[in-house]
Amino acid sequence: KMMAYPFSGYWKDVGTIQSLWEANMDLLGEVPVLNVSDESWRIYSRHQAEQPQYVDKTAVIDNCSITEGCEIHGTVKNCVLGSGARVMYGAYVKDSVIMGDTVIGEGATVNYAILDEGVDMGAGAKVGAPRESATDITVIGTGVKIPSGTTVADGKMISEL
């Protein structure tokens, strides 16, 4: 027997890069579309305890979700950062989803991108373009090492360099 009922909660199909990015952005804002702090809606997950976040006095953070283990020395705006992500001195990250254990090197720039786990961006590397002028989201795959000074154009999907 099949039954239906009205559903008024949050649901999003994250089967595309764009919808994955949007779902992460739904966590941000003064009143987020998906409020993970809502005590009436419990989230259960496997969780490995990490050290607390470290936010250096040089850090600039605006409208971000920053999880345990993150280390922020640079600037992050409108971003979601996974466990253990590190943004080094002078780095600039905007409109992006940075998965766990990814390092954004000194002076590196990330715009409108999704960086998977374990990405290592060298100093001065550039990924993506500002959202207003980008052709599409830039995606960097698991464990990719981006050498210092390298530029990855907007809209590219990189699984190895």
Side-chain angles (χ1 to χ4, degrees):
K1 181 176 181 181
M2 186 181 286
M3 300 187 71
Y5 67 94
F7 177 72
S8 60
Y10 178 89
W11 184 89
K12 186 177 251 3
D13 178 351
V14 292
T16 68
I17 296 298
Q18 182 67 37
S19 63
L20 174 64
W21 183 86
E22 289 171 1
N24 276 274
M25 294 300 115
D26 285 348
L27 297 168
L28 305 178
E30 247 180 78
V31 182
V33 175
L34 176 57
N35 183 0
V36 294
S37 298
D38 182 351
E39 291 190 21
S40 68
W41 193 65
R42 292 276 197 193
I43 296 174
Y44 296 96
S45 67
R46 288 177 281 140
H47 178 72
Q48 189 170 342
E50 297 261 356
Q51 64 191 17
Q53 307 96 333
Y54 173 76
V55 177
D56 191 81
K57 64 182 177 183
T58 60
V60 175
I61 300 171
D62 181 26
N63 194 40
C64 293
S65 174
I66 300 172
T67 55
E68 291 179 323
C70 287
E71 183 179 328
I72 313 296
H73 300 276
T75 299
V76 287
K77 295 183 177 187
N78 203 46
C79 292
V80 174
L81 277 69
S83 298
R86 296 186 302 161
V87 178
M88 305 316 287
Y89 294 96
Y92 179 86
V93 185
K94 185 175 181 191
D95 295 325
S96 297
V97 178
I98 309 299
M99 304 288 184
D101 298 319
T102 287
V103 178
I104 313 298
E106 286 192 27
T109 303
V110 179
N111 276 292
Y112 194 41
I114 298 174
L115 276 59
D116 204 348
E117 293 183 349
V119 171
D120 188 359
M121 281 184 67
K126 296 181 188 321
V127 167
R131 188 168 175 222
E132 322 61 71
S133 62
T135 57
D136 207 348
I137 299 171
T138 305
V139 179
I140 307 297
T142 306
V144 171
K145 307 243 180 285
I146 301 171
S148 296
T150 300
T151 297
V152 177
D154 65 294
K156 298 288 184 195
M157 295 185 82
I158 306 292
S159 60
E160 59 184 49
L161 271 179

